[in-house]
Amino acid sequence: IAGVVGWPIRHSLSPLLHGYWLDELKIDGALVPLAIPREGFARTVLALRRAGFTGVNVTMPHKEAAFALADVTDAAAEVAGAANLLIFHADGRIEGRNTDTVGLRESLRENMESLKGKTVVLLGAGGAARGGLLALDALNAGRIHLLNRSPGKAAQLAMALKSAVKSDIQPGALEDWANVAGHADLIVNSTSAGMKGQPPLEVSVAALPEGATVTDAVYVPLETGLLAAARGRGLRAVDGLGMLLYQAVRGFAMWFGHQPEVTPQLRKYIEDDLVTPA
């Protein structure tokens, strides 16, 4: 048994996704959703480890807390300062990994041409943005404008990752959008803005150049306001579902002992659930 923890958690597709793989591979297991507020995160994770869980996926807003709780972390988590995957070992150790980097990297590889030397605007400066910076750097982005509602947090993140990435990170405020959007080849929203139950993302795609790609880490709804506006302008829009699917592969393999695959059939299965009325 594994879990997925977040606050809120109702939006999570992880139980459905892992359930598909468990059925496909005929594994007797389960991944259960757990709504945990910030103040209860560490206590709950330790209790799950004692209860015999094999580990947990970690979603907003706990990724940085998960990194702090882990006894050992992989290189991606170390650089990002955030973990979205915790593995409970038999000796009591908690291992933290960051697979958000893999998720975004593989989703972008699947949906667009080379990012080498290109300009990216990354919105947000939380745990998902840290993984996003590493993914964009791995794809050889030239310049990354890191915009956040709190520009001080963006500056801190840029400074923290300065020695770990080759890309030129330019921190700024969300208000700087109008100044940088016109030069962007790719927009990445790593915030929860636009998620069901959350306020919309307040940026205008009118400033984007022809040929720009817009991607959103949010996948509930699958078509966020940002993506709908991008499609309305004839721009390429990449939803957050691919990122979810690819980042989940490693966790499933660690918890359940089998390597699953991301297939068109899996994507359709998840998409059908998203568009089916509750």
Side-chain angles (χ1 to χ4, degrees):
I1 299 177
V4 54
V5 297
W7 187 263
I9 200 60
R10 205 178 319 174
H11 69 280
S12 178
L13 292 175
S14 291
L16 187 70
L17 165 57
H18 287 270
Y20 178 95
W21 281 330
L22 288 167
D23 288 343
E24 181 181 55
L25 296 168
K26 296 179 172 56
I27 297 170
D28 182 15
L31 182 133
V32 296
L34 299 160
I36 310 300
R38 286 182 186 270
E39 62 273 15
F41 176 76
R43 182 174 65 253
T44 301
V45 169
L46 295 176
L48 293 173
R49 183 191 63 181
R50 290 192 297 271
F53 276 58
T54 55
V56 292
N57 250 149
V58 181
T59 187
M60 298 177 185
H62 300 312
K63 295 179 182 183
E64 288 157 302
F67 173 78
L69 186 64
D71 299 304
V72 60
T73 51
D74 70 354
E78 285 285 341
V79 175
N84 70 307
L85 172 62
L86 294 178
I87 303 155
F88 303 155
H89 291 281
D91 61 6
R93 289 178 306 128
I94 298 177
E95 179 183 353
R97 296 189 177 193
N98 190 308
T99 61
D100 282 340
T101 300
V102 175
L104 179 59
R105 185 188 71 206
E106 295 307 309
S107 179
L108 290 175
R109 277 180 175 165
E110 184 180 67
N111 287 283
M112 65 180 298
E113 295 79 28
S114 172
L115 262 184
K116 186 174 182 179
K118 299 291 182 66
T119 298
V120 181
V121 177
L122 175 60
L123 303 172
R130 287 173 172 264
L133 283 170
L134 295 179
L136 296 169
D137 182 65
L139 293 171
N140 299 308
R143 173 169 293 179
I144 304 171
H145 293 282
L146 180 64
L147 306 186
N148 192 54
R149 199 171 299 278
S150 169
K153 189 172 183 182
Q156 289 174 359
L157 178 54
M159 182 61 67
L161 296 189
K162 184 177 181 179
S163 62
V165 301
K166 305 178 298 296
S167 302
D168 176 24
I169 305 176
Q170 297 288 325
L174 197 57
E175 289 76 14
D176 295 326
W177 168 264
N179 299 324
V180 301
H183 308 288
D185 299 290
L186 171 67
I187 306 300
V188 179
N189 174 37
S190 74
T191 76
S192 60
M195 182 187 294
K196 185 176 181 179
Q198 299 294 320
L201 183 65
E202 296 176 356
V203 298
S204 172
V205 300
L208 296 176
E210 297 294 332
T213 298
V214 179
T215 187
D216 205 323
V218 172
Y219 55 83
V220 179
L222 195 59
E223 175 106 317
T224 62
L226 175 66
L227 296 183
R231 290 190 215 277
R233 267 212 55 207
L235 304 177
R236 181 182 299 163
V238 180
D239 60 53
L241 185 54
M243 181 177 175
L244 172 75
L245 300 181
Y246 283 110
Q247 66 82 27
V249 169
R250 193 166 298 174
F252 186 95
M254 295 298 298
W255 298 326
F256 301 114
H258 293 266
Q259 185 80 10
E261 293 184 4
V262 175
T263 62
Q265 293 80 8
L266 170 62
R267 182 177 177 95
K268 184 178 185 306
Y269 176 76
I270 302 298
E271 283 182 345
D272 287 347
D273 181 81
L274 284 170
V275 299
T276 300

